[in-house]
Amino acid sequence: ITRQPAPSLIARHLAQVRIRLCAAPSYLARRGTPATPQDLAAHECLSYTYSAAGETLQLQGPQGEVSIALQPHLRANNGEVLREAAIAGMGIIAQPDFIIDQALADGRLVPVLPEWEVPAIGIYAVYASRSHLAPKVRSFIDYLVECLDEDATSSG
């Protein structure tokens, strides 16, 4: 899952993933709800360690593109850990839909700055060489492409 796979590898795009900002209602009740992207700099944000952007959050919205430098309250290399920390009221997260959808659906998390979007990232099947790709691996990648394409078609 990345915005740009390494150029030394073969990468087959499988799907796009939306990243959303959210927090627990308890956190927002205690600290207030950010009204602008710039407000995030004063909030307790929870950061994904392996983010290519580091501690800078890129957002696109009504006023164009902005970059916000964050001082994370917590860093973790696991999105599910960050989700649970956010649910516990520890701060604001920017995580992929597949990690936060259920918590948003049941109200444990709520959207923050919904009119602003974090640029989407791609899910890729990545391998070193086309010439040494086992047929069963090629078949599996084709299957993933087909399944993910059907998911996109049925949900849209």
Side-chain angles (χ1 to χ4, degrees), residues 13-28:
H13 186 266
L14 301 175
Q16 284 291 104
V17 177
R18 183 175 172 202
I19 307 292
R20 293 193 284 172
L21 292 167
C22 56
S26 61
Y27 172 83
L28 298 174

Side-chain angles (χ1 to χ4, degrees), residues 26-48:
S26 61
Y27 172 83
L28 298 174
R30 186 176 88 250
R31 293 292 314 271
T33 301
T36 69
Q38 293 75 14
D39 293 344
L40 292 170
H43 275 269
E44 296 169 4
C45 293
L46 312 177
S47 175
Y48 184 65

